[in-house]
Amino acid sequence: MKLELTPEQRAARQEFRAFVEAEIVPHAGRWDREESIDLGLVDKLRERGYLGSLIPRDDRPARDMITYGLLTEEIGKGCSSVRSLLTVHDMVAWAIQRWGSREQKERFLPAMSRGERLGALALSEPGAGSDAKSVETMAVADGDSFVLDGRKKWTTFGRIAHIYLVLAQVDGKPTTFLVERETPGFRVEPLHGITGTRASLLAELFLEGCRIPKENLVGRIGFGLSHVLFAGLEQGRY
């Protein structure tokens, strides 16, 4: 059996490579030293259709996974921090596509598929890095809302995201919620001084009496880790 890229995939790889050489490679060292990318690059990624491309739109189908792998490979060669923007944004969009309600898909995915609203994954905490079962952020049902309290750390591109997929505990059950940046009680603080992917605009998130509608629950209570986050993490690992 002969495995090789299609002509369309080879052409896409050349397109991605040329974009990286022109728009990323000349600036990657400076971005790493300054711990920040030029936000104009986000506009260029958006204009090229590189953000949210795994989500189908009316004007184009979802990008196939081989081409998507080539996209992240080429961008990662130029700057892994920029690559991580695609990764986290697409992880959140993918999780909504897989486990979100119809209303959530209609509300969030069109803008995310166009790269107009960026997603970030709020998982790690000061006392819970890779051990997601140990998160201490709490969500308490209150009428037609949930009230979230906790602290998230090392949130990739958290400084500029618009929508955060947050893992919290509901009566000891890991559960995921969509929190929008402008929600009262939600605060974003820049995080500096990390060792690698220094331009990935890491942030620390604070949820202090953060009230969100019950409609922002993704999946079911207790499904946050085993279903919703694993769907996003599986795509992100690829």
Side-chain angles (χ1 to χ4, degrees):
M1 182 172 60
K2 187 177 182 180
L3 298 177
E4 61 182 21
L5 300 178
T6 66
E8 293 79 12
Q9 290 167 343
R10 289 197 295 270
R13 181 173 61 183
Q14 289 303 115
E15 173 198 323
F16 304 152
R17 188 167 294 172
F19 175 84
V20 170
E21 288 296 324
E23 304 291 349
I24 295 178
V25 169
H27 313 290
R30 174 173 58 83
W31 292 341
D32 187 71
R33 292 188 297 272
E34 296 177 354
E35 298 187 351
S36 179
I37 65 170
D38 292 338
L39 296 186
L41 178 68
V42 180
D43 295 329
K44 293 176 182 179
L45 293 169
R46 181 185 300 116
E47 292 164 1
R48 291 286 187 126
Y50 295 167
L51 288 166
S53 63
L54 289 177
I55 305 302
R57 300 188 329 211
D58 292 339
D59 60 338
R60 60 137 176 88
R63 197 182 297 277
D64 72 87
M65 293 303 290
I66 298 299
T67 306
Y68 182 76
L70 296 171
L71 171 63
T72 56
E73 179 182 48
E74 293 299 328
I75 289 182
K77 287 179 185 177
C79 178
S80 193
S81 292
V82 179
R83 188 271 316 151
S84 68
L85 171 59
L86 269 69
T87 301
V88 298
H89 176 74
D90 291 336
M91 285 169 67
V92 175
W94 187 264
I96 296 172
Q97 173 77 3
R98 177 65 180 85
W99 289 105
S101 65
R102 178 180 297 180
E103 189 273 338
Q104 288 168 351
K105 293 176 185 179
E106 292 175 351
R107 180 180 173 191
F108 295 106
L109 287 184
M112 295 185 76
S113 69
R114 295 189 296 268
E116 295 170 354
R117 303 193 76 196
L118 300 178
L121 185 66
L123 170 60
S124 299
E125 299 181 357
S130 59
D131 184 12
K133 294 180 181 179
S134 299
V135 299
E136 297 179 353
T137 297
M138 304 295 294
V140 178
D142 183 17
D144 59 357
S145 305
F146 281 97
V147 179
L148 277 64
D149 287 279
R151 176 184 173 195
K152 297 293 183 178
K153 202 166 185 179
W154 306 293
T155 303
T156 301
F157 278 91
R159 291 188 223 168
I160 61 172
H162 305 92
I163 303 160
Y164 300 80
L165 184 63
V166 177
L167 181 67
Q169 301 281 3
V170 178
D171 296 326
K173 300 175 182 178
T175 306
T176 42
F177 301 90
L178 293 170
V179 178
E180 297 179 78
R181 188 184 188 92
E182 61 271 17
T183 304
F186 182 73
R187 180 164 51 91
V188 177
E189 295 287 345
L191 192 61
H192 297 285
I194 61 170
T195 302
T197 58
R198 291 162 53 86
S200 59
L201 298 177
L202 285 183
E204 192 166 6
L205 314 178
F206 298 86
L207 301 101
E208 299 164 339
C210 183
R211 183 178 295 271
I212 62 171
K214 283 191 173 179
E215 289 76 16
N216 283 25
L217 165 68
V218 183
R220 296 170 57 183
I221 292 175
F223 279 37
L225 183 59
S226 59
H227 293 68
V228 181
L229 278 187
F230 275 7
L233 290 170
E234 182 182 49
Q235 186 276 323
R237 290 186 182 111
Y238 170 70

